Amino acid sequence: RDARGKKSQPARQSRFDCKWSYRTGRLTRMAITFILLLLMELVLADHSACAFQMRRAPRHPPSTLHALPLPFGDKAEPQLPKDVKDAISKCRGAVQKALEDRLSRMDIEMPVGANFGVEKNRKGKGKLSSLTSGGDDDNEGLTMEKLERSNRELARLFVEMFQPLGGDHITCVFNNENLADVARKQWANDLSAECSVSAIDRKRRKSGGIGKKGKKKKAKGFAAVMADAVEDDGSSGPFKLRDGTEVAIFVSPGPKELIAIERICNEVGMGTCVILLNARLSTLDKFASDDARNLFMEEFEPVWNLSAAPQEDAPSCLINRSYPNDWLIARKPKVGTPKTIKTQSTKFSAEDCRQAYESIEVSDIERQGERLAENFASWLK
């Protein structure tokens, strides 16, 4: 102390240094604790989800479709879409890349009965499960109404995708006139759905009468049935595309409709882009001819495919292909996002799926997470 009894300057400075050192040490400990917690979160986080966030592409409106950049580079590891919105975005990017490569024969496949949330009063859109489970929250399961609505919603998305061409150059073709009528009513007065809506079979389905007996028809072979399918219907002639069509979108065609599509492809040539939506060509056992098989299995490029793997061979697995990337099979765990198991240049067969599934190595962290999810679910029952 000095003569007046006050603390000297060095003493005050020493106490200040002690307080500052204590506060600094406390902040340092808090920072270290935060960093350790963050590192633990990163270790437990799904690596594929983090990688996806780093590579995610920016959104682009349909009007810039001609200039849409690829959502991933050619060398990027393909990943399953995280939700419905992402699936549509990736599908759009695959179609754009195919157009840049001048492909005019495209095959698009989405899960059976997927809910795209396009039409009003639909619930469940958002999660990836709405693509693979029919999309609705009720317990009715997949119905014909849901199936037709899903196909119509997908067609509506593709019509909007090609709007820069102008509605006069887009033709959306349904299998029969009844399906086409529903689409016309749903899309009426919608500027983003301008197109020509038509049907391969112009005869409207009639409600079944009770008690009426029709004449028993003679059984025909597959070739004869296919031949009848391409004959004139007796009133309006065989189906033809509208003049000036640049993009023809065929919605869920079956074996009968493929006969007309083969003829259309031969008539319009490669200058018209022909797109098959949910034709599910891999499930067909027979084609009308070898030329038809070559057309649909070789010339039509699987630009986008998102479907369930054979569940008896690969439970909880999905198959995906986004042009120009390879095919992939991924497993959807009970906790977290789907994880890619294997990729290859050709579509996975049932045997490929089985071998890929048997090669899965589930980590201890995943097992603990799934076990915790099962326990939590049992508590809520």
Side-chain angles (χ1 to χ4, degrees), residues 3 42-43 79 81 107 115 171-172 179 183 191 203 210 280 298 316-317 326 334 351 373:
L42 291 176
V43 170
Q79 298 286 338
D107 180 38
N115 175 13
T171 299
C172 189
L179 297 175
L191 296 179
K203 296 179 181 178
I210 300 178
R280 313 201 187 280
E298 301 296 334
S316 302
C317 290
D326 288 340
K334 295 178 181 179
E351 179 63 20

Side-chain angles (χ1 to χ4, degrees), residues 122 140 142-152:
R122 295 215 65 186
E140 295 179 4
L142 184 63
T143 63
M144 184 59 67
E145 180 184 358
K146 291 180 182 179
L147 182 62
E148 292 175 353
R149 183 170 53 192
S150 174
N151 292 330
R152 187 170 59 249

Side-chain angles (χ1 to χ4, degrees), residues 65-82:
L65 180 64
H66 63 283
L68 184 67
L70 286 179
F72 299 101
D74 292 343
K75 296 182 180 180
E77 180 183 356
Q79 298 286 338
L80 275 180
K82 64 176 184 178

Side-chain angles (χ1 to χ4, degrees), residues 168-169 171 240-246:
D168 293 339
H169 302 292
T171 299
K240 291 184 178 180
L241 286 178
R242 178 180 179 179
D243 291 342
T245 297
E246 296 184 19

Side-chain angles (χ1 to χ4, degrees), residues 1-9 12:
R1 295 176 179 271
D2 57 13
R4 292 174 293 181
K6 295 184 179 180
K7 293 181 179 179
S8 61
Q9 184 67 23
R12 290 198 302 270

Side-chain angles (χ1 to χ4, degrees), residues 2 64 181 190 195 211 228 239 250 289 297 315 331 339 357:
D2 57 13
T64 60
D181 280 343
D190 189 342
C195 67
D228 290 344
F239 171 77
F250 291 89
S289 64
M297 301 304 293
R331 173 178 174 268
K339 294 186 177 182
Y357 183 75

Side-chain angles (χ1 to χ4, degrees), residues 18-302:
C18 290
K19 291 182 178 180
W20 176 256
S21 177
Y22 172 77
R23 292 174 181 174
T24 305
R26 185 181 180 186
L27 291 174
T28 302
R29 289 192 297 272
M30 292 175 62
I32 293 175
T33 302
F34 175 80
I35 293 173
L36 289 175
L37 290 173
L38 181 61
L39 289 175
M40 291 176 65
E41 290 291 334
L42 291 176
V43 170
L44 295 176
D46 191 293
H47 175 71
S48 61
C50 295
F52 171 77
Q53 292 295 331
M54 294 171 62
R55 301 187 184 108
R56 186 169 57 182
R59 296 175 56 192
H60 293 269
S63 60
T64 60
L65 180 64
H66 63 283
L68 184 67
L70 286 179
F72 299 101
D74 292 343
K75 296 182 180 180
E77 180 183 356
Q79 298 286 338
L80 275 180
K82 64 176 184 178
D83 52 29
V84 178
K85 186 177 181 180
D86 188 38
I88 296 171
S89 177
K90 287 188 175 182
C91 178
R92 183 183 291 114
V95 171
Q96 174 59 24
K97 179 59 180 175
L99 291 173
E100 292 175 0
D101 292 343
R102 300 185 179 278
L103 298 183
S104 60
R105 300 291 182 265
M106 304 186 196
D107 180 38
I108 307 295
E109 185 170 332
M110 286 285 191
V112 177
N115 175 13
F116 299 99
V118 174
E119 297 181 2
K120 295 181 179 179
N121 300 324
R122 295 215 65 186
K123 298 180 180 180
K125 180 191 173 184
K127 297 181 180 179
L128 185 61
S129 58
S130 64
L131 278 176
T132 56
S133 62
D136 291 337
D137 296 331
D138 54 40
N139 297 320
E140 295 179 4
L142 184 63
T143 63
M144 184 59 67
E145 180 184 358
K146 291 180 182 179
L147 182 62
E148 292 175 353
R149 183 170 53 192
S150 174
N151 292 330
R152 187 170 59 249
E153 287 184 334
L154 181 59
R156 169 66 177 75
L157 291 170
F158 267 76
V159 169
E160 181 179 1
M161 189 184 304
F162 286 94
Q163 280 302 298
L165 295 176
D168 293 339
H169 302 292
I170 306 170
T171 299
C172 189
V173 187
F174 291 85
N175 292 345
N176 57 64
E177 196 62 38
N178 295 74
L179 297 175
D181 280 343
V182 176
R184 293 187 187 102
K185 293 177 182 178
Q186 288 286 342
W187 303 349
N189 303 320
D190 189 342
L191 296 179
S192 63
E194 291 184 345
C195 67
S196 172
V197 178
S198 59
I200 294 179
D201 182 1
R202 267 79 33 92
K203 296 179 181 178
R204 288 178 169 81
R205 291 177 294 182
K206 299 179 181 179
S207 58
I210 300 178
K212 295 182 179 180
K213 295 183 179 180
K215 295 182 179 179
K216 189 175 181 180
K217 295 183 179 180
K218 185 178 179 180
K220 296 182 180 181
F222 181 79
V225 173
M226 291 297 100
D228 290 344
V230 297
E231 288 182 358
D232 189 340
D233 63 9
S235 58
S236 56
F239 171 77
K240 291 184 178 180
L241 286 178
R242 178 180 179 179
D243 291 342
T245 297
E246 296 184 19
V247 176
I249 303 170
F250 291 89
V251 185
S252 188
K256 177 181 177 181
E257 289 75 29
L258 292 180
I259 298 296
I261 295 174
E262 180 186 7
R263 174 174 53 79
I264 291 296
C265 289
N266 293 331
E267 291 176 356
V268 301
M270 302 303 289
T272 299
C273 181
V274 178
I275 300 176
L276 306 181
L277 299 183
N278 290 340
R280 313 201 187 280
L281 299 175
S282 61
T283 64
L284 300 180
D285 296 327
K286 296 181 179 180
F287 289 88
S289 64
D290 291 338
D291 289 340
R293 178 179 294 276
N294 180 71
L295 171 65
F296 294 112
M297 301 304 293
E298 301 296 334
E299 294 187 26
F300 272 86
E301 179 72 24

